[in-house]
Amino acid sequence: MEIAQRAGSGRKRMSRAEREQQILGIAEEVFAERGYQAAAMDDIARRVGLSKPMLYEYFGSKEGLLLACLERAKRELLECTSAAAASAESPEQLLHDGLLAFFRFGEDHKQSWALLRNESAVPGMELDTELEGIRRQQVSFTSDMLRMSLPETDEYRMEAFAEAIIGACERMALWRENHPEVTPEMAAEHLMALIGPSLSGEARSFSEPAPSEQELSRQASSTREPPGRTTRPPESSSHDQG
Amino acid sequence: MEIAQRAGSGRKRMSRAEREQQILGIAEEVFAERGYQAAAMDDIARRVGLSKPMLYEYFGSKEGLLLACLERAKRELLECTSAAAASAESPEQLLHDGLLAFFRFGEDHKQSWALLRNESAVPGMELDTELEGIRRQQVSFTSDMLRMSLPETDEYRMEAFAEAIIGACERMALWRENHPEVTPEMAAEHLMALIGPSLSGEARSFSEPAPSEQELSRQASSTREPPGRTTRPPESSSHDQG
DNA sequence: GCAGTAGGTTACTACGAGTAAGTTACTTGC
DNA sequence: GCAAGTAACTTACTCGTAGTAACCTACTGC
């Protein structure tokens, strides 16, 4: 019955750090393949070859375990996208490379992507916060790119663009899963075709930008956060993959 | 203890159709305010003033109940968007009105929107199918619009555009929830500013429309003509604030 | 070899989805 | 009016899973 109990009772008792990594790996697997809800802690424990209370010892709760998995996936995603963008030479190229990296991420990190993709609407406030944090990471990343393309554009519009682009990315990544013949390159190209034109000088609007709109933005800007949270370099920290 | 047992035993025993509607209304409420997972069938039953097995009698399962709620919300959304689009006079206007209607939907049908927004990634294959169906509804709706703006565009690209736009819409609708000062009109305008230029005759690509995808990403030289040659001198926004 | 403790287990509780079998009140035929 | 029939409804369960209490064990240093 024991799964990870290979060759007698030899394989037991690891150090905390070791176990943590092992559990994370297996949990990622289980969450990715069965989904958060359907994944049972008992099942994860069994696959690890450990008893359930240990999972709680290490991660506090089911949500905590998922959270730890997501943290890893999030770091990977950020690394991929910022690495890709690092070598770009023009703002358009930058955006394109970022998009491309995003679409490639889904193929190169299937498991992490499955996590980010499927567990994006799990209940739990902390989880919501984390997921939203991941999106904000992508949004601010995108904002940074946009700021280069559209230096004179109103901050509000820039943020709106960034949000819209992230949303478009997510949706297209999902769409691609039903169309395997659409390569990451093609997806990125499509998206660039859609948003590129508006980033090349012509960012105003399809109609004239209503003056009342900008005024409204400024009037109600009390709740806005200062734009200092953005430009951080890619955190090239140690990559502890178990 | 009984909540809906007003004035003795008078208020009991309704016809199937009546109860169904009553249950649907309350379930929508509960799902919207607590989320699918956190919503307990016992709770819904209690609020209806009925015992749990009746819910199963009427809707088969928790998922079935949510499904019925979503069906309603979906119909509402389609009605709103298509009604809005009906009065448009140009393709751009059509798209704009559709977007606007979408953003307004979130305000005018808070409960339905909360359902569609939050329950979009619940497990369960049938649910997934339904949710995907709702999106496909929006996608095909958008495709139809695009077909008018971009009659010569490749079908694949059109679909990609539609998916991207739907994704952008969803994300921006979420974003708007943290920025109440952004009106539906402003949201629609931002989005039009982002995607409008590419719909105005210039739909090819930000690079040349290359046959092979590897080269696309390379030659990022944008040989584009300024957009705006299409059929829309002024923008007489005849929509007022909802 | 014995104390201390990190690492681990068994055996529970709590709670919520779903169900079997029984009960009540309204309708219909006489 | 009153039995029979049935649609609406209830009580009282089963079962699965998140989370926990309390106890056990093998390795450490001395």
Side-chain angles (χ1 to χ4, degrees), chain B residues 208-225:
Chain B
E208 280 315 291
S212 83
E213 70 259 4
Q214 282 89 350
E215 293 180 347
L216 299 172
S217 46
R218 298 206 143 270
Q219 29 178 284
S221 53
S222 44
T223 48
R224 255 170 297 92
E225 48 192 330

Side-chain angles (χ1 to χ4, degrees), chain B residues 59-218:
Chain B
F59 297 98
S61 69
K62 191 183 183 185
E63 188 177 316
L65 183 51
L66 176 57
L67 223 60
C69 292
L70 285 172
E71 206 70 48
R72 234 204 218 173
K74 166 183 162 183
R75 208 176 40 235
E76 280 178 38
L77 177 58
L78 182 60
E79 277 164 15
C80 284
T81 46
S82 36
S87 60
E89 287 169 353
S90 71
E92 275 88 359
Q93 187 75 47
L94 186 62
L95 182 53
H96 176 271
D97 290 0
L99 295 177
L100 184 53
F102 181 83
F103 290 124
R104 280 183 173 155
F105 182 84
E107 297 195 335
D108 300 345
H109 303 71
K110 281 207 194 313
Q111 206 167 268
S112 301
W113 172 243
L115 265 189
L116 293 171
R117 169 194 179 310
N118 293 319
E119 270 37 276
S120 301
V122 164
M125 63 237 120
E126 191 152 4
L127 244 176
D128 260 16
T129 310
E130 173 67 10
L131 265 316
E132 223 9 68
I134 293 177
R135 285 210 174 79
R136 290 229 59 77
Q137 166 186 288
Q138 294 301 108
V139 165
S140 78
F141 187 78
T142 309
S143 282
D144 292 346
M145 295 185 189
L146 292 182
R147 234 179 298 280
M148 297 188 220
S149 282
L150 308 169
E152 291 177 15
T153 303
D154 165 63
E155 259 297 316
Y156 249 106
R157 165 150 293 177
M158 197 111 71
E159 200 176 329
F161 277 20
E163 295 279 349
I165 292 172
I166 294 302
C169 277
E170 283 186 20
R171 184 70 204 151
M172 272 194 76
L174 253 57
W175 174 69
R176 242 167 52 68
E177 287 175 16
N178 297 327
H179 298 270
E181 70 277 14
V182 178
T183 63
E185 287 75 13
M186 288 159 65
E189 210 279 329
H190 284 317
L191 210 38
M192 284 307 292
L194 181 61
I195 64 182
S198 63
L199 303 183
S200 307
E202 173 48 48
R204 297 324 249 160
S205 72
F206 89 109
S207 64
E208 280 315 291
S212 83
E213 70 259 4
Q214 282 89 350
E215 293 180 347
L216 299 172
S217 46
R218 298 206 143 270

